[in-house]
């Protein structure tokens, strides 16, 4: 009994270990995606920007932290950073090292030379959660004598995953009139659009399926006299509206030029691919797809020019394909050799559903005296003939129905006959099949060209 208990314990332990080993990869497999991001930029009366980012994460697995890098250029200042979620604001004091651990509901801020890193800690497992980051930017907007230029990346290129839906809007101070506010979105190859809203003074941007490591920029321009002061902006002497418009026109023209260049590159690339593939195909055809020229001046042959069998000649004419015609020709060749005896006979056949009978000429076949000296493909035909004539002589017209009586075995023998005929042609160097390999290689190279073109050529 102790022995049986031990065996059961060992078996149970093995099952537990196997289960844990199988489940471990699944337990540690996790990923996340960003469903949406909603950014609001409020332009303050002094030209500083109050930014609010609501980022919705889709967590698959267990996660305890997230971070956001906010890039800053010289002269730009970030302040008043707050992280929150649906439950309320987080407490400042969390660690900022990536991968570190702090209590859920805390966050930390770390300054670098070109960006500010915000790290917040949470507890999320297989759920969708929205985190909101608010902060103030000073020195980002540019104040000219005539307009304020708010040019801000509403989505940065530091994200390792993409975002399905991105929306951003700018709240312009004062009471602007329609036509005074302008808006642009960058880059042009992102699937998005900008709008000024129904009132013509509410600049906004929407984009979808933004890839990973791609930035999105929203640029808004409005009269600077809508501000009370420009102390929160970067001040530049002189007017800026016309230069901003010219810059945006240049961006649009460069994008159109890039599209034209991409189209030309695509056509050239496709042309080059087709030329190379066509050249390979033509070279393969010229080398392997044409019959070689032979010096031959006879117009009529009184007898077969070679001793090849009818089956071999048929295989040559069809470039290696063997059919029932070659089988029938071999059958009559065996009659001529004496391996099969054939004598004239007459048989009565019923026609018109048995209402009429007619006598037709036929050949009665029986096994001949010759049993040696036959080639391998002729032996295959003889194997079928012996099965058909095992009960004695039979008219040739009954052969097809008798062959079907043992269809499986005769089909196997027929396949062997075809292979042996082709082998006989190949052994005598009468058929060159090296072109088959060349054709396959040509197709492979053409497929590789298409694959390379898909990767290299512009979309």
């Amino acid at each position: 009994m102790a022995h049986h208990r031990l065996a059961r314990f060992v078996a149970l332990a093995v099952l537990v270990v196997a289960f844990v080993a199988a489940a471990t990869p699944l337990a540690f497999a996790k990923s996340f995606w960003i469903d949406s991001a909603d950014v609001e930029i409020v332009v303050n009366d002094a030209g500083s920007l109050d930014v609010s980012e609501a980022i919705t994460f889709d967590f698959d697995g267990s996660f305890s932290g997230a971070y956001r890098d906010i890039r800053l250029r010289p002269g730009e200042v970030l302040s008043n950073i707050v992280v929150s979620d649906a439950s309320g604001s987080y407490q400042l004091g969390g660690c900022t090292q990536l991968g570190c651990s702090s209590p859920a509901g805390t966050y930390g801020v770390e300054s670098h030379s070109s960006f500010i890193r915000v790290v917040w800690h949470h507890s999320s497992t297989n759920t969708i959660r929205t985190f909101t980051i608010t902060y103030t930017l000073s020195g980002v907007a540019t104040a000219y004598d005539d307009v304020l230029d708010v040019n801000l990346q509403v989505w940065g290129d530091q994200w390792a995953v993409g975002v399905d839906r991105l929306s951003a809007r700018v709240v312009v101070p004062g009471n602007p009139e329609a036509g005074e506010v302008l808006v642009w979105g960058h880059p042009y190859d992102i699937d998005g659009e900008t709008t000024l809203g129904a009132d013509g003074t509410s600049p906004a941007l929407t984009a979808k399926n933004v890839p990973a490591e791609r930035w999105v920029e929203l640029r808004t321009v409005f009269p600077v006299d809508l501000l009370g002061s420009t102390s929160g902006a970067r001040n530049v002497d002189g007017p800026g509206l016309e230069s901003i418009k010219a810059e945006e026109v240049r961006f649009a023209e460069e994008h159109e030029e890039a599209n034209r260049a991409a189209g030309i590159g695509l056509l050239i690339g496709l042309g080059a691919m087709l030329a190379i593939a066509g050249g390979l195909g033509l070279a393969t055809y010229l080398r392997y797809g044409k019959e070689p020229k032979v010096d031959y001046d006879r117009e009529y042959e009184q007898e077969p020019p070679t001793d090849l069998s009818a089956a071999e000649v048929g295989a040559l004419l069809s470039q290696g394909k063997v059919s029932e015609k070659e089988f029938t020709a071999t059958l009559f060749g065996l009659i001529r050799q004496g391996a099969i005896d054939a004598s004239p006979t007459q048989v009565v056949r019923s026609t018109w559903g048995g209402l009429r009978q007619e006598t037709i000429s036929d050949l009665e076949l029986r096994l001949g005296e010759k049993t040696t000296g036959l080639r391998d493909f002729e032996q295959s035909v003889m194997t079928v003939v012996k099965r058909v004539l095992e009960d004695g002589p039979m008219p040739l017209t009954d052969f097809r129905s008798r062959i079907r009586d043992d269809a499986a075995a005769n089909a196997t023998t027929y396949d062997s006959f075809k292979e042996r005929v082709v082998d006989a042609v190949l052994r005598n160097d009468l058929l060159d099949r090296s072109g088959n390999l060349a054709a396959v290689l040509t197709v492979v190279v053409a497929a590789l060209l298409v694959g390379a073109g898909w990767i290299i050529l512009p979309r």
Side-chain angles (χ1 to χ4, degrees):
M1 292 179 64
H3 173 76
H4 290 307
R5 284 197 298 270
L6 178 60
R8 287 197 295 269
F9 175 79
V10 171
L12 179 61
V14 170
L15 289 175
V16 170
V17 170
F19 176 80
V20 171
T24 297
L26 297 177
F28 287 97
K30 60 181 184 178
S31 63
F32 74 94
W33 190 256
I34 299 179
D35 281 346
S36 63
D38 184 68
V39 182
E40 182 180 72
I41 305 160
V42 178
V43 183
N44 297 317
D45 188 58
S48 61
L49 310 176
D50 286 339
V51 182
S52 175
E53 302 178 355
I55 306 174
T56 301
F57 289 78
D58 188 346
F59 294 112
D60 183 6
S62 296
F63 290 83
S64 59
Y67 75 98
R68 164 85 165 93
D69 288 343
I70 304 172
R71 301 196 181 279
L72 296 176
R73 294 167 294 187
E76 297 178 346
V77 179
L78 186 148
S79 60
N80 304 326
I81 303 174
V82 177
V83 179
S84 62
D85 61 16
S87 63
S89 298
Y90 284 27
Q91 296 297 315
L92 185 62
C95 62
T96 56
Q97 295 296 322
L98 297 183
C100 68
S101 178
S102 286
T106 63
Y107 73 100
V109 179
E110 183 178 68
S111 296
H112 293 260
S113 59
S114 60
F115 64 91
I116 300 295
R117 172 164 291 171
V118 184
V119 180
W120 64 94
H121 304 272
H122 59 93
S123 179
S124 304
T125 302
N126 299 328
T127 187
I128 296 177
R129 294 190 64 179
T130 299
F131 302 99
T132 301
I133 309 170
T134 60
Y135 52 90
T136 300
L137 289 171
S138 300
V140 174
T142 302
Y144 295 93
D145 292 347
D146 53 352
V147 294
L148 183 76
D149 181 12
V150 182
N151 194 1
L152 184 66
Q153 281 192 8
V154 294
W155 189 254
D157 59 1
Q158 77 276 7
W159 292 102
V161 298
V163 58
D164 289 340
R165 299 177 304 280
L166 171 66
S167 61
R169 58 191 174 275
V170 176
V171 179
V172 179
N175 297 303
E177 296 181 0
E180 291 184 332
V181 181
L182 303 177
V183 64
W184 296 273
H186 310 127
Y188 286 99
D189 58 348
I190 293 296
D191 184 7
E193 61 180 4
T194 56
T195 178
L196 287 170
D199 58 2
T201 62
S202 301
L205 174 148
T206 57
K208 58 183 180 180
N209 300 323
V210 179
E213 300 179 350
R214 292 299 306 276
W215 55 268
V216 179
E217 194 172 65
L218 175 61
R219 188 176 198 178
T220 301
V221 174
F222 55 86
V224 71
D225 56 15
L226 292 173
L227 302 176
S229 73
T230 59
S231 60
R234 184 173 67 93
N235 289 271
V236 176
D237 292 335
L241 181 58
E242 294 305 320
S243 62
I244 291 172
K245 288 182 177 180
E247 186 178 49
E248 289 298 331
V249 170
R250 187 176 73 253
F251 289 160
E253 290 175 346
E254 289 175 352
H255 174 67
E256 293 178 359
E257 183 178 352
N259 280 343
R260 287 194 297 269
I264 295 172
L266 179 62
L267 292 177
I268 294 175
L270 289 175
M273 288 170 52
L274 292 175
I276 295 174
L280 288 174
L282 179 61
T284 303
Y285 171 74
L286 294 177
R287 174 62 181 86
Y288 300 102
K290 298 175 64 178
E291 290 291 340
K293 293 183 178 181
V294 178
D295 294 332
Y296 192 75
D297 58 355
R298 301 296 297 272
E299 294 183 359
Y300 174 74
E301 286 289 346
Q302 292 82 8
E303 60 183 13
T306 68
D307 294 331
L308 293 177
S309 66
E312 292 171 296
V313 172
L316 284 175
L317 291 174
S318 60
Q319 296 293 304
K321 296 180 181 179
V322 180
S323 64
E324 293 183 6
K325 294 186 297 182
E326 285 70 40
F327 186 91
T328 304
T330 303
L331 176 66
F332 280 94
L334 291 171
I335 293 175
R336 182 177 58 83
Q337 296 180 56
I340 302 174
D341 289 338
S343 57
T345 186
Q346 291 185 333
V347 295
V348 178
R349 289 285 184 257
S350 296
T351 59
W352 297 91
L355 298 176
R356 179 182 175 185
Q357 290 185 333
E358 61 180 3
T359 301
I360 62 173
S361 298
D362 202 345
L363 289 176
E364 185 178 68
L365 303 184
R366 63 178 61 84
L367 295 177
E369 297 180 355
K370 182 176 182 177
T371 58
T372 59
L374 300 179
R375 303 178 67 178
D376 54 358
F377 60 86
E378 294 174 330
Q379 291 285 5
S380 296
V381 176
M382 283 301 301
T383 299
V384 175
V385 172
K386 289 177 181 178
R387 291 194 187 110
V388 173
L389 299 180
E390 62 181 354
D391 294 331
M394 179 176 298
L396 180 60
T397 52
D398 290 339
F399 253 58
R400 182 175 294 272
S401 60
R402 288 298 302 271
I403 288 176
R404 291 173 179 169
D405 290 343
D406 196 356
N410 288 328
T412 301
T413 306
Y414 176 66
D415 290 337
S416 176
F417 163 77
K418 294 193 294 184
E419 293 174 1
R420 289 175 173 179
V421 172
V422 175
D423 288 341
V425 173
L426 294 175
R427 283 196 303 268
N428 292 325
D429 294 328
L430 299 174
L431 183 63
D432 183 4
R433 281 190 163 180
S434 58
N436 293 349
L437 177 60
V440 171
L441 291 177
T442 300
V443 172
V444 170
V445 171
L448 291 176
L449 283 174
V450 172
W454 176 255
I455 296 172
I456 297 173
L457 296 179
R459 292 290 183 263

